[in-house]
C-alpha cells in the first residue's frame, strides 16, 4: 500500500521568502503525484500534478514541484511566497494502474507573515 | 473544466437524525467516486470507494451501516450519515474519477455539525 510523508507540520515564512515543502512516498510501482492546497475556509484545489514526462512540473500561482524517482520525492517549491499563500498543503499519490484512491499526506500548514 | 458539485456545503442537525450528502459530476461520467472525511487539523481519510452500480468498498474502521453510500448513476453518489452523533461532526468531501481514469476532481465539501 502507498503512504505519503510530509516532513513539515507547520512552516512560517516572511513574504518574498522561498518555499520548499517536502513530500516522500512509498510505493513500489508507478505512481501519479499531486499537490493540493486548501485555503482557510475553502475546499481543496489542485495545485499541480505529475503523471509522466518532464519531472519538473509547473502549477498554478507560481508553484512547481520536482519528481525525483530515486528519492521517492515530490517536493513543492515557490521562489517567492505571498501572504495569500497562507494555506494547508497536501501531497497525494495514487498508483498509476488500477482504480485506486488518492493517499494523502498529513498536510503542511504554511503561514506567511508580512 | 470538469466540475464536481457537492451539496449541501454546510449542515447542522440534531443527534439521532440522518443526513444525506450528494456528490454530482456535472460534465463528465464518473465511474468511481471516493468519499473522504477530514477531522479538524488532520489530513483527509478515505472512507469508502464507490463504483457505479455496485456496492461501495469501505475502509477498515468505517461502519458501512452508519455511512450508507449509493452510486446509482454515473453522475451521482450519495453519502447518508445515519443516526448522526456529535462525534460524526466533520468535513466530508467527495471526489470523482472520470472514465479515462487519470483525472480526479473534488467536490467543495460538506461541513457537518451534529448537536
Amino acid at each position: 500500500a502507498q503512504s505519503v510523508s510530509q516532513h513539515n507540520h507547520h512552516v512560517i515564512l516572511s513574504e518574498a521568502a522561498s518555499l520548499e515543502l517536502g513530500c516522500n512516498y512509498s510505493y513500489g510501482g508507478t505512481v501519479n503525484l499531486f499537490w493540493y492546497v486548501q485555503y482557510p475556509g475553502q475546499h481543496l484545489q489542485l495545485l499541480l500534478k505529475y503523471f509522466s514526462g518532464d519531472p519538473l512540473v509547473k502549477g498554478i500561482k507560481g508553484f512547481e514541484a520536482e519528481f525525483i524517482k530515486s528519492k521517492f520525492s515530490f517536493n513543492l517549491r515557490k521562489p517567492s511566497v505571498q501572504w495569500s499563500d497562507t494555506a494547508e498543503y497536501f501531497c497525494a499519490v495514487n498508483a498509476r494502474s488500477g482504480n485506486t484512491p488518492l493517499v494523502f499526506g498529513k498536510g503542511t500548514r504554511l503561514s506567511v507573515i508580512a | 473544466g470538469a466540475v464536481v458539485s457537492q451539496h449541501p456545503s454546510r449542515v447542522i442537525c440534531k443527534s439521532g437524525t440522518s443526513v444525506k450528502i450528494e456528490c454530482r459530476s456535472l460534465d463528465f461520467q464518473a465511474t468511481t467516486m471516493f468519499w473522504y472525511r477530514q477531522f479538524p487539523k488532520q489530513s483527509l481519510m478515505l472512507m469508502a470507494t464507490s463504483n457505479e452500480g455496485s456496492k461501495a468498498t469501505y475502509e477498515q474502521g468505517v461502519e458501512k451501516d452508519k455511512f450508507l453510500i449509493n452510486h446509482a448513476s454515473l453522475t451521482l453518489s450519495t453519502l447518508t450519515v445515519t443516526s448522526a452523533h456529535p462525534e460524526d461532526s466533520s468535513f466530508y468531501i467527495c471526489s470523482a474519477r472520470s472514465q479515462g481514469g487519470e483525472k480526479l476532481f473534488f467536490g467543495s465539501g460538506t461541513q457537518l455539525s451534529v448537536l
Side-chain angles (χ1 to χ4, degrees):
Chain A
Q2 305 101 299
S3 68
V4 178
S5 174
Q6 288 183 244
H7 317 298
N8 311 102
H9 180 63
H10 188 192
V11 172
I12 302 173
L13 293 174
S14 298
E15 277 194 315
S18 65
L19 169 72
E20 180 159 3
L21 301 182
C23 173
N24 286 89
Y25 69 94
S26 66
Y27 181 66
T30 307
V31 295
N32 301 316
L33 295 153
F34 306 80
W35 274 98
Y36 285 88
V37 61
Q38 187 172 24
Y39 296 102
Q42 297 187 29
H43 60 93
L44 281 180
Q45 297 176 42
L46 180 65
L47 268 182
L48 48 79
K49 60 185 184 289
Y50 171 80
F51 290 156
S52 62
D54 188 345
L56 183 60
V57 180
K58 294 194 183 298
I60 62 171
K61 305 184 180 185
F63 286 91
E64 66 177 32
E66 185 174 12
F67 171 48
I68 302 178
K69 190 175 180 180
S70 60
K71 295 184 178 180
F72 296 89
S73 70
F74 191 56
N75 292 355
L76 180 72
R77 300 194 294 250
K78 185 170 183 178
S80 176
V81 295
Q82 301 171 314
W83 179 82
S84 57
D85 293 323
T86 295
E88 187 96 19
Y89 292 81
F90 292 93
C91 181
V93 62
N94 72 339
R96 183 85 52 87
S97 62
N99 200 15
T100 58
L102 283 178
V103 175
F104 284 86
K106 291 189 181 298
T108 298
R109 185 152 60 100
L110 172 64
S111 299
V112 180
I113 56 179
Chain B
V3 175
V4 173
S5 173
Q6 187 172 339
H7 178 80
S9 59
R10 185 181 298 272
V11 59
I12 302 172
C13 68
K14 291 182 179 180
S15 185
T17 59
S18 293
V19 175
K20 180 185 282 189
I21 302 170
E22 291 188 349
C23 182
R24 292 179 186 273
S25 57
L26 295 186
D27 55 359
F28 67 98
Q29 293 184 323
T31 51
T32 303
M33 288 188 176
F34 303 100
W35 286 95
Y36 295 88
R37 182 174 179 179
Q38 184 180 21
F39 291 98
K41 299 183 180 179
Q42 295 187 31
S43 182
L44 291 175
M45 292 172 51
L46 178 67
M47 298 175 66
T49 301
S50 159
N51 292 300
E52 185 265 337
S54 63
K55 289 184 179 180
T57 302
Y58 290 82
E59 296 299 299
Q60 193 172 12
V62 178
E63 299 175 61
K64 60 182 180 182
D65 294 331
K66 181 169 184 62
F67 299 99
L68 300 178
I69 291 173
N70 184 286
H71 193 163
S73 77
L74 284 170
T75 59
L76 174 65
S77 176
T78 60
L79 166 67
T80 302
V81 183
T82 61
S83 187
H85 290 285
E87 58 265 29
D88 299 323
S89 298
S90 188
F91 185 72
Y92 294 86
I93 191 166
C94 70
S95 69
R97 183 190 297 276
S98 65
Q99 281 188 309
E102 287 191 337
K103 294 186 186 293
L104 192 67
F105 304 97
F106 282 89
S108 54
T110 299
Q111 182 66 51
L112 171 63
S113 300
V114 184
L115 305 178

